[in-house]
Amino acid sequence: HVQLVESGGGSVRAGGSLTLYCAASRFFPCMGWFRQGPGKEREGVATIDRDGGTTYRDSVEGRFTISKDNAKNTLLLQMNSLSPEDTAMYYCAAVLCGSWALAYNYWGQGTQVTVS
């Protein structure tokens, strides 16, 4: 059973920060954050693997940090220096380790981030 619940989104001014949270129904070794902006396709933002290795899309490298609390089955995304281009609905997902591919065909409800 896969259930992912995202939270932590909100409205911030450019340059601000937000932390997103994803509560998972169980442990997933590899997870990622994805986003879909207005009129855009969903894109990968960051992934974290079972050993803590991380991958970021170029546009968020150095500004976003993905982390995982395995004891609490929680995925986090610390977002700093936000820009209007980061405005999107953000989703978490279980991914195939070492890739952006989904491990399960499932999306949660997402959490909205709006940067003005």
Side-chain angles (χ1 to χ4, degrees), residues 11-92:
S11 296
V12 297
R13 292 194 180 276
S17 299
L18 280 174
T19 300
L20 304 184
Y21 301 88
C22 170
S25 54
R26 61 177 177 86
F27 172 76
F28 297 100
C30 302
M31 298 193 73
W33 284 99
F34 296 76
R35 67 186 182 186
Q36 186 167 17
K40 299 180 181 179
E41 294 187 354
R42 188 148 25 198
E43 61 187 17
V45 176
T47 65
I48 185 166
D49 66 23
R50 65 180 77 236
D51 297 321
T54 57
T55 302
Y56 297 93
R57 71 178 300 105
D58 289 347
S59 62
V60 308
E61 182 85 53
R63 299 188 298 122
F64 290 10
T65 302
I66 188 171
S67 61
K68 197 161 166 277
D69 185 337
N70 291 328
K72 297 181 179 179
N73 293 336
T74 300
L75 182 71
L76 296 90
L77 185 68
Q78 173 67 44
M79 305 186 296
N80 298 324
S81 302
L82 285 162
S83 72
E85 289 68 35
D86 297 314
T87 294
M89 185 72 78
Y90 283 72
Y91 304 86
C92 64

